[in-house]
Amino acid sequence: MTRNLLLCSLFVFPKKRRCCLLFTSLFGFLFGLYVSSVRPVFREGNSFRMMPTEFPSTKNTLRHTDLYRNGNGHEPAVTKRVGVKKKRQSGRIMSNNTKVLRGIVNRLVYPNTANRQIRRSLLNHLENCFRNSTVKFNATQLAISELTRLRITEYLTQRGYRQRLPDVINIGVKKSGTTLLSWFMAHHPGIAHAQDVETHFFDRYFQLGLQYYKSRMTFASDDQLSFEKTPRYFVNPETPRLMRELLPRHVRFIINVRDPIERAISDFGHISEVNLCNGGKINASLTKNRTSITEGLRFTSEVISPLNGSVFKNHTVIDTSIYAKHMERWLQYFPLAKFHFVDHAQLRINPSSEMNKIERFLNLTTFYNPEMFNGTAKNIMSCTKGHCMAHTRFYVIPKAKPDERTISKLKLFFEPHNQYFSTLIGREFSWS
């Protein structure tokens, strides 16, 4: 009809009217083309039917010709691009939600080889539960959602996985390779590592209750050992008593030990960086003029009295290195057979051998072998095959290098403590 009006306007109407109608008809013609492209019109017998603009889709495609069939079974010869923006938005929401759900699964079921199948199964289950959700998940809100917790707990409990109090705890000592050890432990299929790198229940969050502590563990099967690591437990006065009262009788402990002087220097550097840290970052200008020598002088001034040259035994870096003092307290509540001691130097040089000793202590199947480790004592990164562990320090402050006089005083101070510690545990170390 638009075409007929356009032709008539050219030959029938006067010039001015013809010009005006020409533009009007041209506009109507273009508008008709636009409408036809958006809402195609199909002839059915002697009537017209408008094509719907939205329709349900069951295919992951943007173009459809198979969803429009008239009553006679004829398929219109037209292909329409539909729902692009809506489908893209839905896809982005589902992609985000899958990432959030995967993060929750990785926290609750530790991602080692033994848990691969149950993690994949749980993720599929959660995706099906939330598949029709049109809300973009917030990781924090979803993690504490009661409905989410109940779904996960019910699903894993039915399959023999449950959260329980730890069977093994790495209680210290700080700056003696505890993070490295927990990294290695987490790869063992018989270990279910806690959700947090350090749980700090008995020294910080005890008021939250035992149920909270249990909730920080990952789900473990009956043939796995639940494991957590918090180095401050070793020096906390109340921790041994609280553990004796609340934890199961079969709980066992791993203690990392290191040359007390080296540990104190490392701890001093760590504390210095923490004091400079603001929001997870360190202002580089504050460390610009610091060197190993200046840090060594700072270390000496903090641990050695300038008046009589005695060692400040109550300074935190010194007190933590007096292993015998803290070990005596632990032996008042637990027998020595409950403890296994890891030599920091051997863990860095020969990790496979040290991890095999832990396997025998915990009655785990042999998993570690020398080929799994490609880290050396000179590497600042510690790796198992295919995976690397990040630093626990920023390493923006040079390591302190105290003078020989300070080192000699510290050796004389620690010598009787080291010997007593060796007597307590019945084991010698290179520094004892």
Side-chain angles (χ1 to χ4, degrees):
M1 184 177 72
T2 304
R3 181 180 59 185
N4 295 336
L5 290 174
L6 183 61
L7 293 175
C8 290
S9 67
L10 294 175
F11 302 103
V12 176
F13 297 99
K15 187 175 181 180
K16 290 184 178 180
R17 293 180 181 178
R18 191 167 62 224
C19 183
C20 181
L21 188 58
L22 174 63
F23 284 102
T24 303
S25 301
L26 182 61
F27 175 80
F29 175 74
L30 295 175
F31 182 78
L33 289 178
Y34 171 75
V35 172
S36 299
S37 65
V38 177
R39 292 174 63 89
V41 181
F42 297 98
R43 185 185 298 273
E44 291 184 355
N46 296 325
S47 62
F48 290 91
R49 177 172 64 88
M50 294 300 295
M51 185 176 184
T53 56
E54 296 184 3
F55 51 87
S57 171
T58 57
K59 293 188 177 181
N60 296 323
T61 178
L62 295 176
R63 294 184 177 272
H64 305 270
T65 58
D66 56 336
L67 296 180
Y68 294 99
R69 296 179 182 273
N70 57 29
N72 299 323
H74 299 296
E75 183 175 293
V78 65
T79 301
K80 177 180 178 296
R81 189 176 181 87
V82 296
V84 178
K85 184 176 181 180
K86 188 173 182 179
K87 291 177 73 64
R88 285 178 178 171
Q89 183 180 5
S90 176
R92 285 194 295 268
I93 290 176
M94 191 60 206
S95 177
N96 169 80
N97 293 352
T98 299
K99 291 180 181 178
V100 172
L101 292 172
R102 185 179 291 113
I104 293 174
V105 170
N106 287 345
R107 285 184 65 83
L108 295 179
V109 184
Y110 199 85
N112 58 22
T113 55
N115 297 330
R116 184 176 301 164
Q117 184 175 354
I118 188 64
R119 284 175 52 245
R120 186 182 294 114
S121 174
L122 176 59
L123 180 60
N124 292 337
H125 173 70
L126 292 177
E127 284 181 334
N128 290 333
C129 291
F130 295 103
R131 185 170 300 279
N132 295 326
S133 175
T134 58
V135 179
K136 190 174 182 179
F137 290 167
N138 176 281
T140 304
Q141 293 174 349
L142 189 63
I144 62 176
S145 166
E146 185 70 14
L147 177 61
T148 304
R149 187 185 67 80
L150 291 175
R151 280 174 171 167
I152 293 175
T153 301
E154 179 183 10
Y155 184 85
L156 292 174
T157 302
Q158 291 174 353
R159 287 154 181 80
Y161 287 78
R162 57 191 177 91
Q163 288 175 305
R164 61 174 187 264
L165 295 175
D167 305 296
V168 186
I169 306 177
N170 185 198
I171 60 175
V173 179
K174 181 185 177 185
K175 308 310 297 179
S176 299
T178 56
T179 303
L180 177 62
L181 176 68
S182 67
W183 172 254
F184 291 157
M185 291 284 287
H187 287 79
H188 197 291
I191 293 293
H193 196 292
Q195 298 181 38
D196 308 299
V197 177
E198 296 180 2
T199 308
H200 287 286
F201 172 71
F202 288 99
D203 63 332
R204 291 183 188 174
Y205 307 118
F206 184 75
Q207 71 278 5
L208 298 180
L210 203 60
Q211 192 60 38
Y212 164 81
Y213 186 39
K214 187 183 296 185
S215 72
R216 305 314 302 159
M217 302 299 117
T218 53
F219 283 80
S221 62
D222 292 337
D223 55 352
Q224 288 179 316
L225 297 178
S226 183
F227 171 84
E228 78 116 323
K229 181 264 292 187
T230 304
R232 294 297 301 177
Y233 288 166
F234 183 68
V235 297
N236 185 275
E238 297 299 320
T239 298
R241 178 183 61 82
L242 294 175
M243 285 189 175
R244 177 67 178 179
E245 294 174 357
L246 300 176
L247 294 183
R249 291 288 183 253
H250 65 267
V251 66
R252 284 170 284 185
F253 306 99
I254 298 175
I255 301 178
N256 293 48
V257 289
R258 182 181 185 178
D259 183 321
I261 300 175
E262 291 183 3
R263 198 220 66 81
I265 294 174
S266 179
D267 198 4
F268 173 79
H270 177 79
I271 293 173
S272 299
E273 289 185 342
V274 170
N275 292 337
L276 292 177
C277 182
N278 182 17
K281 296 181 180 180
I282 291 181
N283 189 342
S285 63
L286 300 177
T287 65
K288 191 173 183 179
N289 298 323
R290 295 195 175 189
T291 65
S292 297
I293 303 300
T294 60
E295 291 303 296
L297 294 174
R298 285 184 59 245
F299 175 79
T300 300
S301 66
E302 289 201 16
V303 301
I304 303 294
S305 172
L307 298 178
N308 54 18
S310 61
V311 176
F312 292 132
K313 63 180 181 178
N314 292 327
H315 192 288
T316 181
V317 301
I318 300 300
D319 179 74
T320 304
S321 290
I322 305 177
Y323 305 143
K325 168 186 173 181
H326 306 292
M327 194 65 210
E328 271 189 320
R329 183 168 56 245
W330 281 91
L331 291 177
Q332 293 175 8
Y333 296 93
F334 298 97
L336 182 61
K338 291 280 187 180
F339 299 89
H340 177 77
F341 298 89
V342 177
D343 188 345
H344 171 266
Q346 291 301 315
L347 183 65
R348 298 300 303 268
I349 297 172
N350 192 5
S352 177
S353 175
E354 287 298 311
M355 298 309 296
N356 290 150
K357 293 176 183 177
I358 294 177
E359 287 174 328
R360 290 191 289 271
F361 171 68
L362 300 177
N363 298 319
L364 294 171
T365 57
T366 302
F367 171 75
Y368 304 102
N369 60 76
E371 295 182 357
M372 294 180 63
F373 302 91
N374 55 16
T376 67
K378 295 181 180 180
N379 288 348
I380 59 174
M381 292 293 286
S382 303
C383 303
T384 56
K385 193 172 184 180
H387 303 279
C388 284
M389 180 192 71
H391 306 302
T392 57
R393 277 187 57 186
F394 294 98
Y395 289 97
V396 295
I397 299 179
K399 181 180 179 180
K401 289 186 178 180
D403 55 32
E404 289 297 327
R405 185 177 180 182
T406 301
I407 298 297
S408 298
K409 288 182 178 181
L410 290 176
K411 285 183 177 178
L412 289 175
F413 173 79
F414 281 117
E415 184 176 2
H417 298 291
N418 295 341
Q419 291 177 353
Y420 184 40
F421 178 68
S422 295
T423 302
L424 280 176
I425 68 173
R427 179 177 173 181
E428 295 286 337
F429 298 92
S430 59
W431 39 265
S432 63

